[in-house]
Amino acid sequence: MKVCKTIRSARSCLATARADFKSIGFVPTMGALHAGHLSLVHKARKDNDFVVVSIFLNPIQFGENEDLSTYPRNFVADEKLLKDAGVDMVFYPSVDNMYSSFFSTYVNEEKISLTLCGAKRPGHFQGVTTVVAKLFNIIGPDNAYFGRKDYQQFQVIRRMVEDLNFPVKLYSCPIVREKDGLALSSRNAYLSPKERLEAVKISQSIKNAKKLVKTGQINTVKKLISSVEKDIAKIGVEHSIDYVEVLDSKTLENVKTIDAKLLLAVAVFVGKTRLIDNIII
Ligand code: AMP
């Protein structure tokens, strides 16, 4: 496995793969890898001749008061996991290499990114689309893999790829969860043991809501949201709801009734840790 720490070295490594007519699969990450990330890597490995994973903690997708400085970093452990998973190349650039002091060009998706996390984290999706556009231009993948844990992120990137004609095929992969149901996240490392135990109530709340819809006990969006809020209120440590929303799963537009395919998405602070989760109903 080759570790490329500059754009130049990544391009030269990829030129060789391309000259051999290898298909290139790409998984962008911010590191602190877990089984969720690895599920994308395994899918990329299965589908492609040459697999690239990027590890880049992208500063421009973090707000001023967010957790960029404390975000878990562990390149040594990440490198081993990726090597064991049969990855061909890791792209691990510095911030300076990705963003020169003259940097002043950004990519904006202006519809899907305005709701959910976009509304709560101004500038976040501009940071995401900009870095993913740069990474696509640097790596030039045939196929790129994302997790449905960040459901909105995938929809925003899909829009960008279509709108700006990136020649890449996108895949979204299922959410990988802990045994008790908590969605895996690099941010779970922030949770105290007590917070970790209580955080499971987030995934339980959305699963429960889905069950209540399926069995006909909930038939309005309002009741659906209040069921989730009621369950989340049972979290027995300091917490607060950032959002609980029900949207059309394709357009991410508001819905009034429960008849289309819906996205139930939540963001909850457990202690100081912001966790997101979602389910399709
Ligand atoms: P991140 O390192 O948080 O930027 O995540 C990199 C990729 O891994 C994104 O496409 C995420 O959606 C995906 N991912 C993160 N957590 C999970 C999970 N629990 N299950 C599946 N994919 C995940």
Side-chain angles (χ1 to χ4, degrees):
M1 183 178 79
K2 188 126 191 196
V3 177
C4 297
K5 295 191 176 178
T6 64
I7 295 168
R8 187 194 287 254
S9 65
R11 283 214 163 115
S12 105
C13 180
L14 285 155
T16 313
R18 230 170 266 122
D20 292 340
F21 299 101
K22 290 184 172 169
S23 63
I24 296 168
F26 177 45
V27 181
T29 81
M30 298 201 299
L33 302 181
H34 50 66
H37 296 114
L38 293 178
S39 71
L40 312 183
V41 173
H42 294 317
K43 168 87 175 129
R45 181 69 285 167
K46 223 171 85 205
D47 292 356
N48 298 275
D49 302 319
F50 194 87
V51 175
V52 181
V53 176
S54 64
I55 296 181
F56 181 61
L57 195 47
N58 176 35
I60 69 165
Q61 71 185 69
F62 286 79
E64 246 174 50
N65 298 317
E66 293 185 350
D67 57 341
L68 174 63
S69 61
T70 53
Y71 197 88
R73 294 159 212 245
N74 196 345
F75 184 72
V76 176
D78 290 350
E79 190 181 7
K80 179 163 184 343
L81 286 171
L82 296 178
K83 199 169 170 190
D84 292 348
V87 167
D88 297 291
M89 182 191 127
V90 179
F91 180 47
Y92 182 50
S94 68
V95 172
D96 288 349
N97 193 218
M98 289 290 278
Y99 299 110
S100 83
S101 56
F102 303 105
F103 190 86
S104 58
T105 306
Y106 296 87
V107 179
N108 273 317
E109 192 287 328
E110 299 199 334
K111 198 166 180 190
I112 301 168
S113 60
L114 300 182
T115 154
L116 302 176
C117 289
K120 296 291 177 178
R121 303 180 66 190
H124 170 66
F125 282 116
Q126 183 193 65
V128 170
T129 42
T130 302
V131 81
V132 172
K134 282 170 69 66
L135 290 167
F136 283 174
N137 282 333
I138 294 162
I139 306 297
D142 299 290
N143 303 302
Y145 301 83
F146 296 85
R148 288 201 284 274
K149 157 97 187 328
D150 299 272
Y151 188 95
Q152 184 182 17
Q153 171 174 279
F154 181 73
Q155 300 301 329
V156 170
I157 291 168
R158 187 151 79 172
R159 192 73 260 134
M160 175 189 82
V161 161
E162 231 178 279
D163 290 350
L164 301 185
N165 310 96
F166 281 93
V168 56
K169 193 156 181 222
L170 301 182
Y171 295 84
S172 77
C173 304
I175 301 175
V176 177
R177 298 178 178 281
E178 299 279 7
K179 272 209 182 92
D180 64 1
L182 177 69
L184 291 188
S185 163
S186 305
R187 289 190 168 96
N188 291 351
Y190 296 144
L191 298 170
S192 70
K194 182 90 206 289
E195 287 170 346
R196 166 64 190 84
L197 279 177
E198 294 294 317
V200 69
K201 289 178 182 155
I202 299 171
S203 59
Q204 286 171 348
S205 75
I206 57 175
K207 266 187 218 157
N208 185 36
K210 179 170 176 159
K211 202 174 92 195
L212 293 173
V213 171
K214 269 192 158 171
T215 54
Q217 294 170 76
I218 282 182
N219 53 12
T220 68
V221 170
K222 207 169 155 198
K223 282 185 199 159
L224 183 53
I225 291 174
S226 83
S227 157
V228 175
E229 287 175 344
K230 235 177 16 219
D231 282 348
I232 288 175
K234 293 177 195 152
I235 291 177
V237 289
E238 188 200 322
H239 68 277
S240 65
I241 290 178
D242 204 22
Y243 64 72
V244 175
E245 290 203 45
V246 177
L247 302 172
D248 182 281
S249 69
K250 265 212 179 117
T251 61
L252 299 196
E253 282 169 353
N254 280 313
V255 287
K256 290 203 174 72
T257 53
I258 305 186
D259 42 22
K261 197 170 161 190
L262 302 178
L263 169 73
L264 167 57
V266 300
V268 179
F269 284 96
V270 177
K272 292 193 165 45
T273 307
R274 186 176 181 277
L275 301 175
I276 58 171
D277 203 348
N278 68 76
I279 200 164
I280 297 294
I281 297 179

